[in-house]
Amino acid sequence: MAIRERALLGVLILATSMAVVTTIGIVAAILVESLRFFSIIDPSSFFFGTLWSPQIAIREDQAGAAGSFGFIPLLVGTLLITLISLAVAVPMGLAIAVYLSEFASSRTRGQIKPILEILAGIPTIVYGFFALVTLSPILRDLGAELGVEVAGESALAAGLVMGMMLIPFIASLSEDALFAVPDSLRHGAIGLGSTQLEATARVIIPASLPGIAAGILLASSRAIGETMIVVMAAGIAAHLTINPLEAVTTVTVQIVTLLIGDQEFDDPKTLAAFALGLSLFALTLVLNIIALHIVKRYRQSYE
Amino acid sequence: MSTHLQKRYRRQRWFVAVSRVTILLALLFLVGLIVSIVGRGWSGFFRGEVQITVALPETVLENSGKVRASVYKKLIHKALLTDFEQHGITDAGSLENIIGFQGALKLRQLVRKDPDSIGRTITTWLPAGKFADGYLKGDLSTQTLVELQVEPDLIRYFEILDRSNKGRMVFNWSFFTLGDSSQPDTAGIGGALAGSFYMLLLTFVLSFPTAILAAVYLELFAPKNRWFDLVEININNLAAVPSIIFGLLGLAVFINLMGVPRSTPLVGGMVLALMTLPTIVISARAAIKAVPETLLAGAMSLGATRMQGVFHHVLPAAMPGVLTGTIIGMAQALGETAPLILIGMVAFIHHIPAGPMEAATALPVQIYLWADNPLRGFAERSAAAIMVLLAFLMIMNISAVLLRKKLEVKW
Amino acid sequence: MVTIETRDASASARAETIISAQKVNVYYGDFQALKEVSIDIRPRQVTALIGPSGCGKSTFLRCLNRMNDLILNCRVVGKLLLNGEDIHRPGFDVVDLRTHVGMVFQKPNPFPKSIYDNVAYGPRIHKMANGRSELDGMVESSLRRAGLWDEVKDKLAGLGTELSGGQQQRLCIARAIAVEPKIILMDEPCSALDPVATGRIEELIFELRRDYTIVLVTHSMQQAARTSQRTAFFHLGELLEVGDTNDIFTKPRHERTEAYITGRYG
């Protein structure tokens, strides 16, 4: 019996280690291929280069020499779209969370939460389709009406739709944070003659700010790593611009573009995707770790 | 009431109004999304059919097993021309617009099934060609046809078909059974559905037991020390890693290093399993945590080992929560696209895969491919495929909710 | 607007009444928590509400600034007159009410802000101060009155939540005073504090009664005896007895009151 139990415990440990092995696998895979990339392409020209044009490198006779792998335009494009999406999702998500948690009756809450859950359950490919076939043409026509030129694949369209995708995410994380604030603080503020809004804005939101901030960080990490919306609605060509009406490209779009055909593992084009993956992983990991750390400490502080 | 207090109340009313408008906007967006997709996609589920009376002369159809579809097309077009004479139609342009290649294939199929019909004249319904299909489904109005500079005689003929009840709209079952195609009217999601099915099956088989065992270990056996704090942080972070990174992992490790065949549901299922693993672990841990400790203590007081107590009592009690989390994880996996693109599931595959080792595509990837296809008609297919995807997700989520309600034990 | 019951209240008694409860009933769903409670509370006195737990004393206290509004399914029937005005009549403004009727809670609940911001919270939302220096003055005088100034004057920017339990409760009293209420409701303000801190709060209550009407819910008979002028004894949702504290503690009229204060149950 004891042997069987021991064997079973071994199986449990093995299963648990899968999660660790996965992380190690991810880090090792992208690190190894990235190092191979950086042995061909100078890291400083990657991280500080302002021109992204990997196509040239496929010419056989100058495989290592040519092709421009400047990361900056991709980073700027990614951050631009992320910022647009946060500009939509943070105020809207927060307003919904505050309304549901502090103002709405439980009946209203019961009616509205399913809507948010539906929005949260829609795959991003569907949002991407909507951005591509519905929102982009609308924005272009609207721009034409107003006399502004909006690119067919604009940062704005991708950012707006991504913002919509993030609303339920931010709303639900913020609501959790607001929920964690003890009622004694609400009563304290109300007891001093605050209106509901004053109690919320001056006491409850400040008290839940760490949780809300963590939610926003997690949302940014999601926006940065989101792929399908930008693949369908943002551009492929890398323009270094912060004009939301122009087409920009993102880190994830370029990973997809570089890897969609046949992949040769000695081609800097293929390897560049892993260098991009490494940057993406590092960026989102930092955001996630900070956010999850805040969430954990914040939860403890009210327990 | 003082004016200052009135101002404070006004501010509050403002906020409430603004948040209600925000909620309304979110709702409006959801409605817009659905309307835009259903409005575009519904016609993908239907196709037009034209009734035709066609002669099947023995002279051409001898040896019917080997006769090519183009021969049938000629017969159909001859029949159409006969019909034209009756209605005084002279110039209707390309007859493909009324009954095309699909119609010829269907006719050939009918004749092969019933060889006795050779030598006779039969009346049957055949799939409509491009413009006729659009007209019969209401996608193309007379006015749009005029704008598209279609021959006036053709439009007149469509109206005649309509009036004499020789045109109809039927449910397009072949949308579910056909594989991908370079032409929208013969493109179906059959291959993508099969691919997604094999992949989800693999994802489930690989991730579900692993996740449960890991959750059991972490919740009930793992020592509480820094090392396991790290494992916990690792799992939480893994759940937040962008999905595309998992695609890179699959490409570099599974395909390049381990030699798992590219584009197959096998490699897709492996990647999605790793991706879903942390999600299921987290929800399974929560479900196990919700089971009161007294249950395990009770089992052990009766002489059960800790392991027996856990597997006989705690885990079954936690199962509803675990299953709910698993279904939600599976739903996420079903909608996942980006990592599958990287592992080659974007290849054009016409045939329907018969197993997880054959190259295949998946439903969301098929949506992506069609949405990107500039050919007229593919966006509609893409929207129709989205409707199917959303229907599956809805079924999964509703069953998760029902499961939770039905099996939930209140402690 | 102003409704004054003249039937059984003489003119002089009216002048001495700041709060008058008349046949107040409170229901939580189907459960009746208060039955026909009638009591007059006099200005600039400490009125102690005592009784065994679950007797309705806290429920009654929460009626006085309508904190019961925050509880789902809570219904109040009867008349509660504040300076002759029924605070439960439709259209009566609760926010305004709560600025006049402050409250100190069972567990100290300072906001997770600086000590200064905790005290300045009320004056700020009610726009009571013109300019920073006036606000500084209000904060200082409130903290002084709450007997906390000397302990915190050097760390006004420090978090209120980092003070000791007794200091937190005095901060909450200072926070309530800063709004300049006429009445302060205290709901077992010392139940979470150690005996030394309790002693300081009791001294404070004793001093504050010169400027404020205080209604104090307490578990401790000694506290009621030490700090209050009038005592009301609640039992199972009913007000059994109300009178001068001395009288209640020396010659209670009701046998249950006697049983309670002599410690036979409670």
Side-chain angles (χ1 to χ4, degrees):
Chain A
M1 267 324 200
I3 295 176
R4 245 187 71 188
E5 298 244 318
R6 257 165 197 250
L8 208 51
L9 194 64
V11 173
L12 293 188
I13 293 175
L14 201 70
T16 309
S17 61
M18 269 315 291
V20 183
V21 170
T22 307
T23 308
I24 295 172
I26 288 176
V27 174
I30 54 180
L31 213 58
V32 167
E33 307 299 341
S34 296
L35 286 177
R36 286 175 65 191
F37 174 74
F38 289 127
S39 70
I40 307 171
I41 305 288
D42 179 23
S44 68
S45 75
F46 175 76
F47 286 112
F48 304 110
T50 54
L51 183 67
W52 177 267
S53 168
Q55 289 79 0
I56 316 161
I58 44 177
R59 262 165 45 197
E60 271 173 37
D61 50 326
Q62 36 173 214
S68 202
F69 295 96
F71 177 58
I72 297 292
L74 312 190
L75 184 67
V76 171
T78 304
L79 294 182
L80 177 63
I81 291 178
T82 302
L83 273 180
I84 295 172
S85 70
L86 290 179
V88 174
V90 171
M92 289 184 73
L94 208 54
I96 292 175
V98 167
Y99 178 75
L100 289 184
S101 142
E102 310 295 326
F103 291 89
S105 68
S106 62
R107 216 178 108 243
T108 316
R109 209 175 4 238
Q111 288 165 340
I112 290 167
K113 286 202 110 175
I115 298 172
L116 293 176
E117 276 162 25
I118 293 174
L119 273 172
I122 294 175
T124 57
I125 176 92
V126 180
Y127 284 100
F129 181 83
F130 179 75
L132 176 70
V133 303
T134 307
L135 190 65
S136 294
I138 289 177
L139 287 180
R140 209 176 32 221
D141 294 349
L142 208 68
E145 199 100 336
L146 298 170
V148 217
E149 196 180 327
V150 182
E153 295 173 322
S154 63
L156 187 63
L160 285 178
V161 170
M162 202 186 285
M164 284 295 172
M165 178 200 84
L166 291 176
I167 286 175
F169 191 67
I170 288 190
S172 109
L173 289 173
S174 306
E175 214 200 329
D176 288 349
L178 291 167
F179 185 74
V181 175
D183 270 349
S184 68
L185 287 184
R186 285 187 182 84
H187 293 172
I190 295 291
L192 290 170
S194 314
T195 62
Q196 191 74 47
L197 180 65
E198 286 156 354
T200 305
R202 286 167 180 258
V203 176
I204 299 164
I205 291 180
S208 59
L209 213 51
I212 293 172
I216 294 172
L217 285 185
L218 283 177
S220 336
S221 151
R222 246 196 146 168
I224 291 171
E226 168 49 37
T227 308
M228 291 325 291
I229 293 177
V230 281
V231 163
M232 296 176 82
I236 285 179
H239 304 291
L240 185 52
T241 175
I242 50 164
N243 180 353
L245 302 180
E246 280 182 44
V248 296
T249 193
T250 72
V251 177
T252 50
V253 170
Q254 288 309 315
I255 295 177
V256 168
T257 313
L258 290 169
L259 294 180
I260 204 162
D262 282 323
Q263 303 111 359
E264 298 295 332
F265 268 80
D266 48 7
D267 183 346
K269 247 183 84 175
T270 304
L271 296 175
F274 285 88
L276 291 178
L278 180 68
S279 324
L280 179 67
F281 181 70
L283 203 59
T284 53
L285 188 71
V286 169
L287 289 172
N288 294 342
I289 287 182
I290 297 173
L292 292 171
H293 183 69
I294 297 175
V295 167
K296 204 174 168 189
R297 279 199 35 192
Y298 171 68
R299 228 177 255 151
Q300 281 162 351
S301 77
Y302 283 122
E303 255 166 20
Chain B
M1 207 187 294
S2 73
T3 50
H4 175 56
L5 189 54
Q6 280 173 355
K7 217 160 95 192
R8 289 162 63 196
Y9 275 125
R10 212 157 39 230
R11 229 175 275 153
Q12 171 156 327
R13 278 197 299 274
W14 250 104
F15 174 79
V16 169
V18 166
S19 3
R20 287 198 180 135
V21 168
T22 308
I23 290 171
L24 206 67
L25 270 178
L27 184 65
L28 224 64
F29 173 76
L30 182 61
V31 171
L33 186 81
I34 289 170
V35 166
S36 130
I37 283 164
V38 174
R40 228 170 258 277
W42 75 270
S43 66
F45 295 104
F46 296 93
R47 60 185 170 80
E49 281 191 342
V50 175
Q51 195 184 44
I52 190 165
T53 305
V54 58
L56 303 168
E58 255 171 298
T59 43
V60 239
L61 296 177
E62 254 177 340
N63 223 344
S64 65
K66 284 180 191 157
V67 176
R68 296 169 55 159
S70 56
V71 175
Y72 286 93
K73 199 159 80 180
K74 276 187 195 132
L75 291 176
I76 291 166
H77 288 177
K78 213 168 127 193
L80 281 176
L81 289 172
T82 323
D83 204 27
F84 282 179
E85 275 172 31
Q86 279 183 16
H87 300 288
I89 286 168
T90 49
D91 178 23
S94 167
L95 298 177
E96 302 260 344
N97 289 331
I98 304 168
I99 297 176
F101 195 64
Q102 281 301 303
L105 285 177
K106 179 78 191 291
L107 184 62
R108 184 172 71 173
Q109 199 188 336
L110 285 174
V111 173
R112 280 184 184 168
K113 219 187 276 173
D114 179 21
D116 293 346
S117 59
I118 297 175
R120 290 191 284 140
T121 298
I122 60 164
T123 300
T124 184
W125 289 94
L126 294 178
K130 199 169 79 182
F131 283 136
D133 184 64
Y135 181 82
L136 291 171
K137 288 196 291 194
D139 273 0
L140 298 172
S141 64
T142 308
Q143 203 194 333
T144 332
L145 287 170
V146 172
E147 278 164 20
L148 287 168
Q149 300 190 324
V150 172
E151 291 76 3
D153 262 9
L154 185 66
I155 301 174
R156 207 152 66 77
Y157 187 64
F158 286 162
E159 285 163 358
I160 291 167
L161 283 179
D162 229 4
R163 246 180 288 132
S164 53
N165 289 326
K166 282 165 86 179
R168 67 175 183 186
M169 194 169 77
V170 295
F171 194 78
N172 185 10
W173 286 108
S174 63
F175 180 65
F176 293 92
T177 55
L178 291 173
D180 197 4
S181 162
S182 58
Q183 289 301 316
D185 53 337
T186 49
I189 54 171
L193 281 179
S196 276
F197 171 75
Y198 292 130
M199 218 156 49
L200 267 201
L201 201 66
L202 265 165
T203 305
F204 179 78
V205 167
L206 292 175
S207 66
F208 180 65
T210 317
I212 288 189
L213 295 178
V216 164
Y217 183 71
L218 286 171
E219 208 51 52
L220 298 165
F221 290 95
K224 301 272 172 277
N225 58 30
R226 286 189 68 87
W227 187 194
F228 282 95
D229 283 349
L230 221 61
V231 174
E232 188 172 347
I233 292 171
N234 169 52
I235 288 177
N236 288 338
N237 272 305
L238 208 54
V241 166
S243 62
I244 193 168
I245 300 284
F246 285 91
L248 288 175
L249 172 76
L251 176 62
V253 176
F254 294 155
I255 296 177
N256 203 34
L257 200 69
M258 290 162 55
V260 181
R262 230 175 141 247
S263 308
T264 54
L266 176 64
V267 65
M270 287 164 77
V271 167
L272 292 183
L274 291 186
M275 227 188 70
T276 325
L277 189 68
T279 315
I280 307 182
V281 172
I282 291 170
S283 61
R285 285 188 65 177
I288 292 172
K289 200 178 256 168
V291 178
E293 283 169 31
T294 47
L295 195 64
L296 182 57
M300 286 170 75
S301 75
L302 295 172
T305 63
R306 191 172 171 80
M307 198 68 86
Q308 285 169 331
V310 168
F311 280 94
H312 295 170
H313 300 283
V314 180
L315 198 52
M319 231 8 150
V322 177
L323 285 178
T324 309
T326 307
I327 294 176
I328 289 166
M330 289 293 132
Q332 265 173 29
L334 177 59
E336 198 49 72
T337 321
L340 303 181
I341 296 178
L342 301 198
I343 54 173
M345 298 193 78
V346 281
F348 175 84
I349 293 146
H350 172 68
H351 78 277
I352 291 165
M357 295 293 284
E358 284 181 32
T361 183
L363 194 51
V365 183
Q366 190 70 74
I367 291 166
Y368 163 66
L369 286 172
W370 284 344
D372 232 27
N373 196 319
L375 216 61
R376 193 189 168 86
F378 269 117
E380 281 66 31
R381 297 275 142 172
S382 189
I386 287 178
M387 287 166 70
V388 176
L389 177 65
L390 291 181
F392 273 115
L393 292 178
M394 207 140 85
I395 292 169
M396 289 170 91
N397 282 310
I398 288 174
S399 58
V401 172
L402 291 181
L403 195 73
R404 188 162 47 192
K405 277 211 178 119
K406 198 168 163 97
L407 298 178
E408 193 174 49
V409 187
K410 286 264 190 295
W411 300 103
Chain C
M1 273 294 147
V2 179
T3 341
I4 299 174
E5 287 279 320
T6 47
R7 207 160 10 115
D8 45 15
S10 71
S12 66
R14 211 188 313 145
E16 279 194 343
T17 301
I18 184 163
I19 298 172
S20 171
Q22 293 164 4
K23 299 196 171 169
V24 172
N25 293 277
V26 177
Y27 303 86
Y28 295 122
D30 293 334
F31 172 71
Q32 186 167 9
L34 277 188
K35 295 168 195 155
E36 302 280 303
V37 172
S38 298
I39 182 175
D40 286 345
I41 288 170
R42 298 182 186 154
R44 291 173 214 279
Q45 273 195 355
V46 178
T47 305
L49 311 182
I50 62 169
S53 26
C55 65
K57 56 190 192 296
S58 283
T59 299
F60 179 70
L61 189 77
R62 290 171 155 267
C63 286
L64 302 182
N65 67 344
R66 285 185 55 183
M67 284 303 266
N68 282 330
D69 289 14
L70 303 180
I71 297 169
L72 220 65
N73 291 327
C74 180
R75 207 152 45 83
V76 179
V77 181
K79 265 196 183 132
L80 257 168
L81 308 180
L82 172 67
N83 290 327
E85 202 177 351
D86 186 356
I87 63 171
H88 279 92
R89 78 173 156 76
F92 187 87
D93 189 77
V94 274
V95 169
D96 199 39
L97 169 70
R98 289 172 190 148
T99 57
H100 297 301
V101 185
M103 187 163 197
V104 176
F105 296 80
Q106 214 172 66
K107 246 180 74 191
N109 57 352
F111 302 135
K113 296 166 174 271
S114 71
I115 294 170
Y116 184 96
D117 285 342
N118 261 282
V119 182
Y121 178 84
R124 275 185 180 141
I125 58 169
H126 300 301
K127 282 234 169 80
M128 291 163 65
N130 290 317
R132 179 77 189 196
S133 59
E134 197 176 329
L135 188 61
D136 287 349
M138 283 178 167
V139 169
E140 181 177 339
S141 76
S142 303
L143 283 169
R144 273 190 197 283
R145 275 199 184 148
L148 193 60
W149 175 253
D150 291 331
E151 291 160 63
V152 300
K153 65 180 175 207
D154 298 323
K155 49 173 179 180
L156 287 176
L159 277 178
T161 39
E162 278 165 8
L163 295 172
S164 75
Q167 288 175 321
Q168 286 191 10
Q169 197 60 300
R170 276 181 284 147
L171 177 63
C172 290
I173 293 174
R175 191 175 70 181
I177 291 172
V179 187
E180 293 171 12
K182 294 185 188 66
I183 302 166
I184 301 176
L185 310 178
M186 297 190 177
D187 189 0
E188 301 191 32
C190 302
S191 65
L193 303 181
D194 63 66
V196 178
T198 301
R200 299 227 37 189
I201 302 271
E202 284 179 8
E203 281 168 33
L204 179 59
I205 293 172
F206 198 74
E207 278 169 35
L208 288 174
R209 86 182 155 159
R210 267 178 286 166
D211 300 313
Y212 303 97
T213 305
I214 293 174
V215 184
L216 170 75
V217 165
T218 177
H219 229 74
S220 141
M221 251 82 58
Q222 290 85 344
Q223 189 170 75
R226 279 194 297 263
T227 57
S228 71
Q229 286 75 52
R230 294 221 318 155
T231 296
F233 177 68
F234 282 76
H235 181 74
L236 291 176
E238 283 178 88
L239 174 65
L240 288 190
E241 194 167 347
V242 57
D244 280 355
T245 300
N246 279 338
D247 294 346
I248 293 267
F249 278 89
T250 52
K251 40 185 188 224
R253 275 167 293 168
H254 207 288
E255 61 186 83
R256 282 200 182 281
T257 318
E258 187 177 3
Y260 182 69
I261 58 179
T262 52
R264 266 180 275 155
Y265 75 98

